[in-house]
Amino acid sequence: MFPRIPIKHCKNCGTAVVYRLPDDGDTKPRAVCPACNTVHYENPLNVVGTIPVLGDRVLLCKRNIEPRWGKWTLPAGFMELDETTAQGAARETDEEAGAEYEMQGLFAVMSVVRVGQVHLFYRARLLSDKFNPGHETIEARLFTEEEIPWDEIAFRTVREALQHFFEDRRKGNFDRVHTVDIV
């Protein structure tokens, strides 16, 4: 679990904030600036990525960064400002795998409460088996379901997304978005 670092200063004026219930009827203590009365809300981060598939194989990336250096993951990362979730997932797939692909529909939305994140995975159809991974990836490789190094998967959300993907593929049906709460 990652400890939350509390807000210490107002982003607007730099004054030290106090944690209290805002005067607007809010029911949670928030970082409130006593000088300019700005209420600073702390919201979850969005992680966006893809499940890239070529035939019966899924593309995984071996991490070249912490956390979980050397473990396998789907191409995914933090969403940036000024992009949609699909654009962010596409950008991360480009950056981490250097793959040619066609974006498909939203596949899974996972709330990871303990770290304040929401993970969104899209399906993607690979157009080639050639990859040019960026600096965050040691290796990008295709795996059949049987070949996936399940004990070397970096994150629970990736494991869950892959398990749901293979289950849906066996059923021949990708008509639902999976929602998973990881508390």
Side-chain angles (χ1 to χ4, degrees), residues 1-2 61-73 114-115 117 119 136 138 151-159:
M1 183 165 145
F2 299 104
C61 298
K62 190 178 242 186
R63 292 177 60 81
N64 195 32
I65 58 172
E66 292 293 349
R68 315 260 167 72
W69 181 91
K71 301 292 185 183
W72 292 94
T73 189
R114 72 182 187 284
V115 293
Q117 296 177 358
H119 293 215
E136 293 182 4
I138 297 169
D151 292 339
E152 297 297 314
I153 297 296
F155 305 105
R156 181 173 167 193
T157 54
V158 171
R159 177 184 308 281

Side-chain angles (χ1 to χ4, degrees), residues 12-24:
N12 291 333
C13 71
T15 301
V17 299
V18 294
Y19 276 82
R20 66 171 176 79
L21 290 176
D23 297 331
D24 62 3

